[in-house]
Every structure is written in C-alpha cells, then in structure tokens.
Amino acid sequence: MVKKSSKKQDAEKAKEVEETVEPTNEQAQETEETVEENTTDDVEETKEDESPEQSEEEKLAEKVNELNDKYVRLSAEFDNYRRRTLKEKMELSKSAGEGLLLSLLPVVDDFDRALAHIDEAKDIDALKEGIKLIYNKFNEYLKQQGIKEIEAKEKDFDTDLHEAVTKIPAPTEDMKGKVIDCIEKGYTLNEKVIRFSKVVVGE
C-alpha cells in the first residue's frame, strides 16, 4: 500500500511540474514576441528620427544655395553700379567747366568786336563806354556764379581777407591799421575766400 501511494504521489508531482513548465514556455514565447515588437518599434522610431534630420539638412542646403545666389546677384549689380558711376564721374570731370565757359563766350565776343573797331574808333568816350559795358557784364556773370569782390580800401585790415604786401605811415591818425591801397583785388566764392586781397596797410 505504501509503494502505490508513493507512485501516485510521484505521478501527481510530475504532472504539476509539466503544468508549471508549460506556462513558463508560454511566458518565454510571449517575452520573445514582446522583445521583437519593441525592437521593431525602436527601428521604426529610429527611421522616423532620421527622416526629419535629413529633411532639415536639405532645407539648410536650399537656404545656403539661395543666399549664395543672392550674393552673386548683388555682387554683379554692385560691380555694374561701380563701373557706371566711375564712367559718369570721368565724363563729369571732362565737362565740368562746360557751362562756365559757354556763359563766358558772349563776353569774349564783346571783346572781339571792341578790338576789331578799336583802331578805327574816333569817339574815345564811346570806346570807353563800350569797355565799361563789357566789364560790367563780366562782373555780373561772376556774381551769378557766386563770386564776390572783397572790399578792402579804407577797411580795417583783416588777416582772414587781406594779405599785407607792405606797410606805410598812415596819412591820418584814423587810418592806422587800415588798408591804404589795394594792389590786387581779392574774391570769395560762396563766402569762401579763393584769393586774398593784396593791400598796403597804414601804421
């Protein structure tokens, strides 16, 4: 009786072991499936992560190409602008005095006419009057160009306007330190001195 009971117990234990092993195998299989799924998900996520990075690189490359194209265009435009302005400056420097010379030509014409008749002139007063007219015409032209004569005679000596050539004793007390005579007239161009008056100063 004891032997039979022992065999029966051994059989029951073996069965329990088998039942215990089977779920363990099932769990192992499930674990393998889970690992495979996780691995697959990780690979897919990695691919998804790589995709935006490649897209970002492409965008940066396009941006670089676009900026490079703009730079090339701007460089070409600036080069054209530089050449054009240089050409304009050269042309301007060549013809800068054209307007001034054209305005002077009528005065030159007046002098030519006066010289053509000066030897035949019998009326000296008329000749003088003609020369004065030409002179006044020329002075008017200078004023139109912004050139003005510096007043000097009997004015206080001013080093900003006058250049003392010599000094002489003043004829009167109130003429000391003043301009006695103007040897050469001075001029300003738009309030800037372009030639000092050469004067004689009393002392």
Side-chain angles (χ1 to χ4, degrees):
M1 292 294 292
V2 175
K3 290 180 180 179
K4 288 181 179 179
S5 295
S6 179
K7 289 180 179 179
K8 187 176 181 181
Q9 288 176 357
D10 291 339
E12 288 176 356
K13 285 181 179 180
K15 187 176 181 182
E16 288 177 1
V17 170
E18 288 177 0
E19 290 176 354
T20 303
V21 170
E22 286 178 2
T24 302
N25 291 336
E26 290 177 358
Q27 290 176 358
Q29 187 175 356
E30 289 178 358
T31 302
E32 289 178 0
E33 291 176 355
T34 303
V35 170
E36 288 178 0
E37 289 177 359
N38 290 338
T39 304
T40 304
D41 292 340
D42 290 341
V43 171
E44 289 178 355
E45 287 177 1
T46 303
K47 288 181 179 178
E48 289 177 359
D49 291 341
E50 288 177 355
S51 240
E53 287 179 2
Q54 291 176 354
S55 177
E56 189 68 24
E57 288 177 359
E58 290 176 358
K59 287 180 180 178
L60 288 173
E62 289 178 2
K63 189 69 175 177
V64 169
N65 290 334
E66 183 181 346
L67 291 173
N68 187 55
D69 184 60
K70 285 183 179 179
Y71 169 76
V72 171
R73 290 175 182 273
L74 287 172
S75 179
E77 288 177 3
F78 177 75
D79 190 50
N80 291 335
Y81 167 77
R82 184 178 60 81
R83 290 178 181 176
R84 186 169 61 253
T85 51
L86 184 62
K87 183 179 179 181
E88 289 174 356
K89 284 181 180 179
M90 290 176 66
E91 291 177 353
L92 184 62
S93 63
K94 289 180 180 179
S95 60
E98 182 178 347
L100 296 174
L101 294 173
L102 282 173
S103 300
L104 277 175
L105 292 179
V107 179
V108 175
D109 293 337
D110 290 340
F111 274 116
D112 287 338
R113 283 189 286 269
L115 290 171
H117 297 86
I118 195 169
D119 293 332
E120 301 173 0
K122 295 180 180 179
D123 191 347
I124 303 300
D125 291 335
L127 181 62
K128 290 179 179 179
E129 187 66 24
I131 292 174
K132 285 180 180 178
L133 288 173
I134 296 172
Y135 176 77
N136 291 333
K137 186 176 182 179
F138 181 69
N139 272 338
E140 187 62 30
Y141 166 76
L142 293 179
K143 288 178 182 178
Q144 291 175 0
Q145 303 304 316
I147 296 176
K148 292 182 181 179
E149 181 184 335
I150 297 173
E151 294 183 3
K153 197 169 183 178
E154 298 183 357
K155 298 290 182 181
D156 290 332
F157 177 71
D158 186 350
T159 55
D160 292 332
L161 301 173
H162 309 135
E163 179 183 342
V165 176
T166 186
K167 291 182 180 181
I168 62 172
T172 59
E173 190 68 22
D174 61 338
M175 287 299 291
K176 287 183 177 181
K178 291 188 176 182
V179 176
I180 304 297
D181 191 17
C182 181
I183 299 172
E184 186 176 86
K185 292 181 179 180
Y187 295 93
T188 61
L189 175 61
N190 297 323
E191 307 303 326
K192 178 184 177 183
V193 177
I194 57 175
R195 191 175 82 174
F196 291 92
S197 300
K198 293 182 179 181
V199 299
V200 177
V201 182
E203 62 177 358

